PDB file of all heavy atoms in Angstrom:
ATOM      1  N   PRO C 128      81.261-120.920-133.618  1.00 98.00           N
ATOM      2  CA  PRO C 128      81.869-119.585-133.703  1.00 98.00           C
ATOM      3  C   PRO C 128      82.033-118.975-132.312  1.00 98.00           C
ATOM      4  O   PRO C 128      81.169-119.125-131.449  1.00 98.00           O
ATOM      5  CB  PRO C 128      80.876-118.774-134.536  1.00 98.00           C
ATOM      6  CG  PRO C 128      79.935-119.744-135.117  1.00 98.00           C
ATOM      7  CD  PRO C 128      79.987-121.010-134.332  1.00 98.00           C
ATOM      8  N   THR C 132      86.043-114.141-132.197  1.00 98.00           N
ATOM      9  CA  THR C 132      85.933-113.924-133.643  1.00 98.00           C
ATOM     10  C   THR C 132      84.946-112.786-133.923  1.00 98.00           C
ATOM     11  O   THR C 132      85.151-111.988-134.856  1.00 98.00           O
ATOM     12  CB  THR C 132      85.518-115.252-134.332  1.00 98.00           C
ATOM     13  OG1 THR C 132      86.375-116.278-133.846  1.00 98.00           O
ATOM     14  CG2 THR C 132      85.650-115.157-135.828  1.00 98.00           C
ATOM     15  N   GLY C 157      88.700-120.619-144.577  1.00 98.00           N
ATOM     16  CA  GLY C 157      88.360-121.543-143.476  1.00 98.00           C
ATOM     17  C   GLY C 157      87.077-121.072-142.830  1.00 98.00           C
ATOM     18  O   GLY C 157      87.023-120.791-141.633  1.00 98.00           O
ATOM     19  N   THR C 158      86.012-121.037-143.612  1.00 98.00           N
ATOM     20  CA  THR C 158      84.782-120.358-143.164  1.00 98.00           C
ATOM     21  C   THR C 158      84.001-121.135-142.100  1.00 98.00           C
ATOM     22  O   THR C 158      83.195-120.563-141.368  1.00 98.00           O
ATOM     23  CB  THR C 158      83.881-120.043-144.377  1.00 98.00           C
ATOM     24  OG1 THR C 158      82.899-119.099-144.006  1.00 98.00           O
ATOM     25  CG2 THR C 158      83.187-121.297-144.939  1.00 98.00           C
ATOM     26  N   GLY C 159      84.226-122.463-141.993  1.00 98.00           N
ATOM     27  CA  GLY C 159      83.501-123.242-140.981  1.00 98.00           C
ATOM     28  C   GLY C 159      82.001-123.153-141.187  1.00 98.00           C
ATOM     29  O   GLY C 159      81.476-123.424-142.273  1.00 98.00           O
ATOM     30  N   ASP C 180      86.486-123.418-147.618  1.00 98.00           N
ATOM     31  CA  ASP C 180      86.916-124.334-146.563  1.00 98.00           C
ATOM     32  C   ASP C 180      87.360-125.617-147.254  1.00 98.00           C
ATOM     33  O   ASP C 180      86.947-125.899-148.388  1.00 98.00           O
ATOM     34  CB  ASP C 180      85.764-124.624-145.578  1.00 98.00           C
ATOM     35  CG  ASP C 180      86.274-125.001-144.193  1.00 98.00           C
ATOM     36  OD1 ASP C 180      86.826-126.113-144.054  1.00 98.00           O
ATOM     37  OD2 ASP C 180      86.154-124.183-143.253  1.00 98.00           O
ATOM     38  N   ALA C 181      88.216-126.381-146.559  1.00 98.00           N
ATOM     39  CA  ALA C 181      88.656-127.664-147.118  1.00 98.00           C
ATOM     40  C   ALA C 181      87.706-128.788-146.693  1.00 98.00           C
ATOM     41  O   ALA C 181      87.786-129.881-147.231  1.00 98.00           O
ATOM     42  CB  ALA C 181      90.077-127.963-146.643  1.00 98.00           C
ATOM     43  N   SER C 206      88.133-125.192-151.127  1.00 98.00           N
ATOM     44  CA  SER C 206      89.521-124.856-151.474  1.00 98.00           C
ATOM     45  C   SER C 206      90.428-125.135-150.284  1.00 98.00           C
ATOM     46  O   SER C 206      90.075-124.857-149.144  1.00 98.00           O
ATOM     47  CB  SER C 206      89.624-123.370-151.875  1.00 98.00           C
ATOM     48  OG  SER C 206      90.953-123.051-152.214  1.00 98.00           O
ATOM     49  N   ASP C 207      91.597-125.695-150.598  1.00 98.00           N
ATOM     50  CA  ASP C 207      92.654-125.855-149.595  1.00 98.00           C
ATOM     51  C   ASP C 207      93.388-124.508-149.565  1.00 98.00           C
ATOM     52  O   ASP C 207      94.183-124.228-150.473  1.00 98.00           O
ATOM     53  CB  ASP C 207      93.554-127.021-150.029  1.00 98.00           C
ATOM     54  CG  ASP C 207      94.760-127.203-149.125  1.00 98.00           C
ATOM     55  OD1 ASP C 207      94.962-126.381-148.204  1.00 98.00           O
ATOM     56  OD2 ASP C 207      95.520-128.158-149.355  1.00 98.00           O
ATOM     57  N   TRP C 208      93.064-123.683-148.602  1.00 98.00           N
ATOM     58  CA  TRP C 208      93.497-122.280-148.547  1.00 98.00           C
ATOM     59  C   TRP C 208      93.340-121.642-149.927  1.00 98.00           C
ATOM     60  O   TRP C 208      92.238-121.608-150.437  1.00 98.00           O
ATOM     61  CB  TRP C 208      94.898-122.145-147.961  1.00 98.00           C
ATOM     62  CG  TRP C 208      94.974-122.656-146.531  1.00 98.00           C
ATOM     63  CD1 TRP C 208      95.961-123.440-145.995  1.00 98.00           C
ATOM     64  CD2 TRP C 208      94.026-122.447-145.445  1.00 98.00           C
ATOM     65  NE1 TRP C 208      95.692-123.726-144.676  1.00 98.00           N
ATOM     66  CE2 TRP C 208      94.524-123.146-144.311  1.00 98.00           C
ATOM     67  CE3 TRP C 208      92.821-121.776-145.330  1.00 98.00           C
ATOM     68  CZ2 TRP C 208      93.846-123.160-143.095  1.00 98.00           C
ATOM     69  CZ3 TRP C 208      92.144-121.789-144.107  1.00 98.00           C
ATOM     70  CH2 TRP C 208      92.660-122.461-143.023  1.00 98.00           C
ATOM     71  N   ASN C 222      90.252-117.244-139.642  1.00 98.00           N
ATOM     72  CA  ASN C 222      90.429-117.760-138.283  1.00 98.00           C
ATOM     73  C   ASN C 222      90.835-119.210-138.462  1.00 98.00           C
ATOM     74  O   ASN C 222      90.010-120.114-138.351  1.00 98.00           O
ATOM     75  CB  ASN C 222      89.123-117.625-137.494  1.00 98.00           C
ATOM     76  CG  ASN C 222      89.214-118.321-136.149  1.00 98.00           C
ATOM     77  OD1 ASN C 222      90.307-118.546-135.625  1.00 98.00           O
ATOM     78  ND2 ASN C 222      88.070-118.687-135.589  1.00 98.00           N
ATOM     79  N   SER C 245      90.141-130.842-137.320  1.00 98.00           N
ATOM     80  CA  SER C 245      90.700-130.102-138.469  1.00 98.00           C
ATOM     81  C   SER C 245      90.461-128.592-138.328  1.00 98.00           C
ATOM     82  O   SER C 245      91.042-127.795-139.058  1.00 98.00           O
ATOM     83  CB  SER C 245      90.069-130.597-139.771  1.00 98.00           C
ATOM     84  OG  SER C 245      88.662-130.469-139.682  1.00 98.00           O
ATOM     85  N   ALA C 246      89.599-128.208-137.401  1.00 98.00           N
ATOM     86  CA  ALA C 246      89.365-126.774-137.170  1.00 98.00           C
ATOM     87  C   ALA C 246      90.277-126.227-136.081  1.00 98.00           C
ATOM     88  O   ALA C 246      90.374-125.015-135.891  1.00 98.00           O
ATOM     89  CB  ALA C 246      87.907-126.548-136.758  1.00 98.00           C
TER      90      ALA C 246
HETATM   91  C1  LIG W 690      89.104-122.362-136.339  1.00 65.90           C
HETATM   92  S1  LIG W 690      88.003-122.931-137.578  1.00 65.90           S
HETATM   93  C2  LIG W 690      87.222-121.392-137.991  1.00 65.90           C
HETATM   94  C3  LIG W 690      85.843-121.518-138.519  1.00 65.90           C
HETATM   95  C4  LIG W 690      85.128-120.174-138.731  1.00 65.90           C
HETATM   96  N1  LIG W 690      85.886-119.299-139.573  1.00 65.90           N
HETATM   97  C5  LIG W 690      84.898-119.491-137.390  1.00 65.90           C
HETATM   98  O1  LIG W 690      85.592-118.531-137.082  1.00 65.90           O
HETATM   99  O2  LIG W 690      83.999-119.924-136.650  1.00 65.90           O
HETATM  100  C6  LIG W 690      89.121-123.198-138.910  1.00 65.90           C
HETATM  101  C7  LIG W 690      88.485-123.632-140.228  1.00 65.90           C
HETATM  102  O3  LIG W 690      89.548-123.802-141.192  1.00 65.90           O
HETATM  103  C8  LIG W 690      89.248-124.924-141.995  1.00 65.90           C
HETATM  104  N2  LIG W 690      90.481-125.422-142.595  1.00 65.90           N
HETATM  105  C9  LIG W 690      91.447-126.174-142.011  1.00 65.90           C
HETATM  106  N3  LIG W 690      92.434-126.443-142.890  1.00 65.90           N
HETATM  107  C10 LIG W 690      92.076-125.835-144.057  1.00 65.90           C
HETATM  108  C11 LIG W 690      92.692-125.747-145.335  1.00 65.90           C
HETATM  109  N4  LIG W 690      93.848-126.348-145.601  1.00 65.90           N
HETATM  110  N5  LIG W 690      92.066-125.032-146.292  1.00 65.90           N
HETATM  111  C12 LIG W 690      90.868-124.430-146.037  1.00 65.90           C
HETATM  112  N6  LIG W 690      90.234-124.487-144.833  1.00 65.90           N
HETATM  113  C13 LIG W 690      90.838-125.190-143.856  1.00 65.90           C
HETATM  114  C14 LIG W 690      88.589-125.909-141.043  1.00 65.90           C
HETATM  115  O4  LIG W 690      87.821-126.868-141.747  1.00 65.90           O
HETATM  116  C15 LIG W 690      87.759-124.965-140.175  1.00 65.90           C
HETATM  117  O5  LIG W 690      86.453-124.812-140.686  1.00 65.90           O
END
Side-chain angles (χ1 to χ4, degrees):
T132 311
T158 195
D180 206 289
S206 180
D207 175 356
W208 298 136
N222 172 22
S245 56

